[in-house]
Amino acid sequence: LESRMRNKHGDYKWFLTHTKVLARNHEKKATHMIGVIKDITKRKESEIALRESEEKFRLLIEHNSASVCIFDTEKFYYVNPRFLRTFGYEEKELASLSPIDIIHNDIEVEVNASHKVAPAGKKRKHNRYELKAVAKTGEIRWVDVTTLPIHYAGKNVNIATMYDITKRKQFEHEIREKNEKQLTEGEEIF
């Protein structure tokens, strides 16, 4: 039994109690018992602090404006809700996809090369790039990606944060087209 009790100073402590019945009477009620009580306050405080830390991390990641995922070249280990909204997938659908499946095929080779995990003993290095990805609907999504090799669940993997920059890319494309049109028509660009 784990229980919390107040000591004579008014402070609360956690205790772990182990008991064993040594003898019973003819009505099978315990007549002799032995027990050990151990102060587990430090362990309980550590468990509470860990739970609070995990809750902060979960809230930070799940309510982040960036898409976040943990992956290797073969599978996703974790994706946050923003990732699911950006690409239109449900979490269970990602179990049958690799990260390469959502990367637009015209840049696959370049991205594969940038996801190699640093060998043991080498400094882990952020990679940052823009890439074209394909949502579940087939829609092209441009994302600004930062990856970092990490060790997770006993494996060398990557963590990525991604910001959807599709609108910015569309705007840049429109400006480029206008500038090219003005150049071909001989107008000045200012």
Side-chain angles (χ1 to χ4, degrees), residues 131-145:
L131 77 86
K132 200 183 331 180
V134 183
K136 179 181 175 181
T137 61
E139 179 184 7
I140 301 299
R141 310 296 306 161
W142 277 95
V143 287
D144 183 331
V145 181

Side-chain angles (χ1 to χ4, degrees), residues 33-118:
M33 296 175 63
I34 190 168
V36 177
I37 298 174
K38 181 179 179 181
D39 183 345
I40 58 169
T41 304
K42 288 185 191 249
R43 187 194 86 199
K44 289 302 268 188
E45 289 171 348
S46 294
E47 289 172 359
I48 291 166
L50 178 61
R51 261 195 316 275
E52 289 172 355
S53 176
E54 288 173 344
E55 178 67 7
K56 285 178 195 173
F57 172 77
R58 187 188 62 75
L59 289 171
L60 174 67
I61 296 300
E62 289 185 1
H63 298 285
N64 202 315
S65 62
S67 296
V68 177
C69 65
I70 298 174
F71 67 99
D72 61 21
T73 54
E74 304 195 1
K75 73 184 257 183
F76 290 100
Y77 293 91
Y78 170 82
V79 296
N80 72 345
R82 172 66 68 182
F83 181 97
L84 298 172
R85 286 192 302 273
T86 298
F87 296 104
Y89 287 99
E90 291 185 31
E91 196 167 355
K92 61 184 174 192
E93 293 175 299
L94 292 175
S96 63
L97 296 175
S98 78
I100 302 304
D101 293 330
I102 68 165
I103 297 170
H104 195 278
N105 60 10
D106 66 357
I107 57 172
E108 184 176 332
V109 174
E110 174 188 332
V111 173
N112 276 337
S114 71
H115 284 142
K116 290 189 175 152
V117 176

